[in-house]
Amino acid sequence: MDVNEYRIVVSKAEWVGMALMTLCGILCLLWVTFGLGWAHYLGHWDGSVRQGSVANYPSPDLMLAFGILMLSLTPFSALAFVWRTWTTPDGVRTRGIFRRRFIPWQDIASVDVTKHGGYSPHPYYHLQVRLRSGRRLCLPGLQDRFEDTLTAPRTEIVSRWKAAHVAAEWQEAS
């Protein structure tokens, strides 16, 4: 058996959204830095009422905060695309943002699709494994808005899991 890799499929809209978030963050910071100037910004840092008309708005505080927020959200959304799951003849290998894990087939008790999001109009589904210890683990890279897209990966993982259990039972019997 070969190794299969599952990862999050990134749509064109998600790439465009990340690019726009980055662009908005950079433009806001450039506006504070070059358009308004840091001296003007720091002069209003005490929160005093600004002198003048509507020309001072949007406020430099808001633009700086918005720019930093947009630039800080971009890496977090990009890190979600790092999540992966591999199925191998020995078990399941996962890679999340901060952790890598190997789960042998013998440690897995069941493979299920779970719904998250409750009664919201846009729920999403995860493929999760329940270990013999009772712990449940969502497999990274195997989540989607539609349950039907997780049918093929679930079928493949279950067939490998069952094949490993049959092979283990056969080795114990002989």
Side-chain angles (χ1 to χ4, degrees), residues 30 34 65 70 103 120 172:
L30 288 175
F34 298 113
M70 288 294 115
I103 308 165
S120 71
E172 290 175 4

Side-chain angles (χ1 to χ4, degrees), residues 30-64:
L30 288 175
W31 185 79
V32 170
T33 304
F34 298 113
L36 186 64
W38 280 101
H40 187 279
Y41 173 72
L42 293 174
H44 292 293
W45 183 256
D46 61 355
S48 63
V49 178
R50 290 176 180 77
Q51 303 295 323
S53 64
V54 181
N56 287 335
Y57 291 98
S59 74
D61 303 337
L62 179 66
M63 294 304 285
L64 183 68

